[in-house]
Amino acid sequence: MMFQKKIFQKSILSGFSVQGVALLHSYLIKYFERFFSLMAWLVSLRCAFVKRFGRSSLLVTRLTFPHRYLIKYCRSAFFLMALLVSLTRYFDKCFGRSSFLMVRLAFLRPYFIKHRFEKSVFLTVCFVFPALLMNEASFAQSAKARTAVATGTRAGILRAAVTKVDITPETPKMLLGYAARQSTGIHDRIYHRIVALDDGVTQFFLVSTDICVISPSEYDHVAGMLQKQLGINPLNFWWTLTHTHSAPEVGVPGLPEAFMGDRYKHEVDTAYTRQVEQSLIQGIIEARNQLAPARMGIGWGFSQANINRRAWDIDGKASGGMNPDGPVDRRIGLIRLDKEDGSPLALIANYAIHGTVLGPDNLQISADVQGVVSEYVQEKIGVPMLFINGAAGNMAPIYSVYPNPRAGHLGQFRVLLGDKILDAYKKIAAETDTVKLFTGALTIETPRKSKLVNWPKDLANYTRAMPSGVNMVKLPVRFLKINEDLAVWSAPLELFCEISNNIRTRSPFPYTFYFGYTNGWLGYLATEKEWAHGGYEVETVSPYTITVEKDFTEPIVGYLHGEMKSAKPITPAAPEKTKKKMRKGA
């Protein structure tokens, strides 16, 4: 028992830390694992024999001596330690060694000192086992809420961080966005920009990467690694792409190969893909480690840097060009993050615009208009800006598909868009440090084009065959609510702006943002009206049918009015600070 006492003392002295759990876990495995296994085996065997042959059977009697021997000398300590080891192994396997579930096992430790072993066993059986029946997301959130004080955070008080990771390749790469072509140089560098948000209960990670598109299977792969290595629920990891057409390919082609197979005759660049993946994971680790008290504000801006790109001819046929009379979305959605002392921390800007200032003749790696504007804003405010594209399916920059940056007036977008972001940013007062996050998800099914028969194998989870023989596309939509002011929804789409405008108008929230090109790419999604005009976005690169607008819009509006509006995040004891309402920007 003296040895057990030393173990408990060492683990308790280490506090509610990951190191404390690891220390306790290592001692338990090293010195007691065989005893636990024997004890569990004897108990299980004895219970089975009692059930099968009766309590007074010879087999049960023969098991009594070793069973009582273990009980006499080890009593409930063995049982409790066995539970801890089993739980730790279970959570390690399911959610990752550094997940909240692993860390929060430490909340049992004080009971070793404050209560007798018997009471500890009772508490473990009453509270830990029922928790296993909860789903992963709710368990992780409730566990974090229980130990917010122990980890140095307070529920409802915002912490945030931002990191920026260079992913520019130093060797020629195949560029994605037009016909197959290889880079010959670098015009401007490309990055992961990562924001981490933590309200004391939920941690949320938003990534903006300067590449064109990825397959949803690539997102699933990275999300799986994050869940296994860091315990991050995929629901709380959004990977958005700026949609520049002058950046390297990442991962398998996915759906684009089904539409334009001639562009993908070359091998997948697995080395660069691994570089992008590992740098993203490392960036998230750094952001999580740098979380610090922060304040948040939201607002709108306005810029005329984009234009509808579906030009109509006299026969009503649409083609790539400029349509100054067509629908547009020129709002800039802004989320401002400041440090506790009021100095800037990060800025998130949401604007719909294709990354096509540079055309197919350009062979230099570039983040295009999104990257140029992001760097310009960072230069002015001193902290990174995440450019989050919107419903840019029919939104082009006012200068499009030029052979080089000079010809495309790329620098002018610092004024056309960058200065408009800065003007709106200055009007936002980051007045609240009291933030509650809620994340949700919805899968929408809509019919697939009958002629699209070569569905990519890596996207098997994104389609379903109906008994009638009709193939459906399974569209994953994600939601983020910040307090009662802001609702953000995202999808792996090139969405037409009329649809996001309609959803924003019908939303019950004062601010509603759409984050496009998020967690993969499943083609263009056009309005029913645009089907009559045909064109590239409808005929070539869309897997959907004419009913898709209604199939897609109504469930999202319903979710915003239902689950999102009524969602009540886990709310432990109110923070000491007086809660302040979020001041709305211009």
Side-chain angles (χ1 to χ4, degrees):
M1 296 303 292
M2 288 297 296
F3 183 72
Q4 295 174 19
K5 184 177 179 181
K6 289 181 180 180
I7 295 175
F8 299 145
Q9 288 175 343
K10 288 185 178 181
S11 62
I12 292 163
L13 288 174
S14 63
F16 286 82
S17 63
V18 180
Q19 290 80 7
V21 177
L23 177 62
L24 178 61
H25 192 189
S26 62
Y27 273 119
L28 292 176
I29 290 177
K30 184 175 180 181
Y31 294 102
F32 294 108
E33 184 173 21
R34 293 184 181 178
F35 278 123
F36 294 156
S37 300
L38 178 59
M39 181 70 173
W41 180 77
L42 285 171
V43 171
S44 300
L45 193 60
R46 190 170 187 272
C47 290
F49 287 160
V50 168
K51 183 177 180 181
R52 179 69 175 84
F53 304 110
R55 187 172 298 277
S56 60
S57 68
L58 180 62
L59 288 172
V60 173
T61 303
R62 292 291 185 265
L63 285 173
T64 302
F65 175 74
H67 190 193
R68 288 179 176 174
Y69 180 86
L70 288 173
I71 291 176
K72 180 179 179 181
Y73 289 97
C74 304
R75 296 184 63 79
S76 55
F78 274 104
F79 180 55
L80 183 56
M81 290 184 209
L83 284 176
L84 286 172
V85 170
S86 299
L87 286 171
T88 305
R89 286 181 166 181
Y90 175 79
F91 293 147
D92 188 6
K93 180 179 179 181
C94 294
F95 310 119
R97 186 169 298 276
S98 60
S99 68
F100 286 128
L101 295 175
M102 290 283 287
V103 176
R104 296 329 183 228
L105 282 176
F107 86 94
L108 291 173
R109 279 184 244 147
Y111 292 108
F112 281 108
I113 298 300
K114 188 175 180 180
H115 304 284
R116 294 169 57 97
F117 283 148
E118 290 81 359
K119 189 172 288 187
S120 298
V121 173
F122 172 76
L123 290 167
T124 303
V125 173
C126 288
F127 295 108
V128 178
F129 278 170
L132 292 175
L133 301 178
M134 299 169 63
N135 63 59
E136 174 190 345
S138 62
F139 188 92
Q141 288 189 343
S142 62
K144 188 172 183 182
R146 285 194 301 270
T147 56
V149 175
T151 56
T153 65
R154 288 184 295 160
I157 299 301
L158 175 66
R159 295 191 304 152
V162 63
T163 55
K164 181 178 175 182
V165 185
D166 195 328
I167 59 169
T168 312
E170 301 302 332
T171 58
K173 299 295 179 184
M174 298 301 295
L175 303 178
L176 180 60
Y178 303 108
R181 69 203 201 281
Q182 190 174 62
S183 67
T184 58
I186 300 170
H187 175 264
D188 54 276
R189 304 192 75 79
I190 58 177
Y191 299 91
H192 291 307
R193 296 175 178 89
I194 303 167
V195 160
L197 302 175
D198 185 338
D199 67 355
V201 175
T202 300
Q203 284 191 348
F204 180 81
F205 299 90
L206 176 66
V207 181
S208 173
T209 301
D210 294 322
I211 54 179
C212 188
V213 298
I214 57 171
S215 173
S217 65
E218 174 63 22
Y219 164 79
D220 291 338
H221 174 62
V222 174
M225 290 194 292
L226 287 170
Q227 184 174 31
K228 182 177 181 180
Q229 297 178 26
L230 304 178
I232 296 172
N233 187 333
L235 202 64
N236 300 330
F237 162 57
W238 290 14
W239 187 3
T240 73
L241 311 173
T242 63
H243 200 51
T244 171
H245 283 44
S246 297
E249 299 172 347
V250 174
V252 297
L255 196 54
E257 188 175 23
F259 299 134
M260 302 164 289
D262 57 312
R263 297 186 181 185
Y264 302 96
K265 301 297 185 182
H266 50 277
E267 295 292 325
V268 174
D269 191 337
T270 55
Y272 183 66
T273 298
R274 281 195 299 270
Q275 176 189 332
V276 170
E277 294 170 351
Q278 292 303 316
S279 59
L280 187 154
I281 293 171
Q282 187 58 40
I284 286 179
I285 292 173
E286 293 176 7
R288 175 184 267 183
N289 291 338
Q290 294 171 14
L291 284 167
R295 308 174 71 83
M296 177 184 288
I298 55 177
W300 289 117
F302 180 82
S303 169
Q304 300 185 86
N306 61 10
I307 189 171
N308 190 292
R309 70 178 202 164
R310 281 174 57 81
W312 295 351
D313 209 333
I314 57 173
D315 60 359
K317 183 73 172 179
S319 60
M322 293 186 182
N323 182 0
D325 299 318
V328 293
D329 181 7
R330 288 175 169 158
R331 285 198 184 187
I332 309 169
L334 296 174
I335 301 175
R336 171 175 176 165
L337 296 169
D338 286 351
K339 298 177 183 178
E340 193 174 28
D341 62 6
S343 60
L345 175 63
L347 177 62
I348 300 170
N350 175 215
Y351 187 73
I353 188 169
H354 249 73
T356 52
V357 170
L358 300 175
D361 293 334
N362 171 65
L363 299 180
Q364 289 189 309
I365 290 174
S366 173
D368 210 279
V369 57
Q370 293 87 346
V372 168
V373 170
S374 296
E375 291 299 290
Y376 174 70
V377 172
Q378 178 176 344
E379 177 186 332
K380 294 298 183 180
I381 66 176
V383 295
M385 186 194 90
L386 276 67
F387 193 110
I388 311 295
N389 218 323
N394 52 351
M395 294 288 95
I398 60 171
Y399 301 114
S400 289
V401 291
Y402 283 85
N404 58 68
R406 183 179 180 84
H409 310 282
L410 186 58
Q412 289 186 19
F413 285 90
R414 293 174 292 185
V415 176
L416 292 166
L417 182 53
D419 281 346
K420 302 302 184 293
I421 292 173
L422 290 169
D423 290 344
Y425 167 78
K426 294 172 184 176
K427 296 176 183 178
I428 299 173
E431 280 286 331
T432 187
D433 63 355
T434 304
V435 167
K436 296 176 184 177
L437 305 175
F438 169 81
T439 54
L442 178 67
T443 299
I444 298 172
E445 294 194 352
T446 185
R448 199 173 91 196
K449 282 180 180 176
S450 58
K451 65 179 182 180
L452 183 57
V453 294
N454 56 333
W455 189 261
K457 293 181 179 179
D458 68 292
L459 298 180
N461 292 332
Y462 293 87
T463 189
R464 181 171 72 93
M466 300 287 285
S468 62
V470 176
N471 291 311
M472 308 294 284
V473 179
K474 298 167 68 175
L475 275 171
V477 182
R478 298 283 181 84
F479 298 87
L480 169 68
K481 183 171 81 167
I482 301 179
N483 293 343
E484 297 299 323
D485 299 274
L486 173 62
V488 185
W489 63 284
S490 67
L493 294 168
E494 297 212 42
L495 190 67
F496 275 32
C497 69
E498 302 96 303
I499 297 175
S500 67
N501 289 348
N502 179 26
I503 292 173
R504 182 171 62 214
T505 300
R506 297 170 63 185
S507 171
F509 293 89
Y511 292 86
T512 301
F513 299 164
Y514 167 67
F515 288 5
Y517 308 94
T518 301
N519 302 341
W521 189 87
L522 287 174
Y524 280 75
L525 199 156
T527 62
E528 182 177 347
K529 178 182 177 181
E530 288 296 325
W531 277 77
H533 301 285
Y536 170 80
E537 297 90 347
V538 171
E539 298 170 351
T540 305
V541 286
S542 176
Y544 310 107
T545 67
I546 196 171
T547 67
V548 67
E549 179 183 8
K550 184 177 181 180
D551 294 342
F552 185 72
T553 302
E554 297 310 315
I556 293 173
V557 173
Y559 195 93
L560 290 171
H561 280 269
E563 286 88 337
M564 286 285 280
K565 194 63 181 174
S566 63
K568 300 298 181 184
I570 296 172
T571 309
E576 297 174 3
K577 291 187 178 181
T578 301
K579 295 183 178 180
K580 301 177 183 178
K581 291 186 178 180
M582 185 175 292
R583 184 182 297 175
K584 301 173 177 63

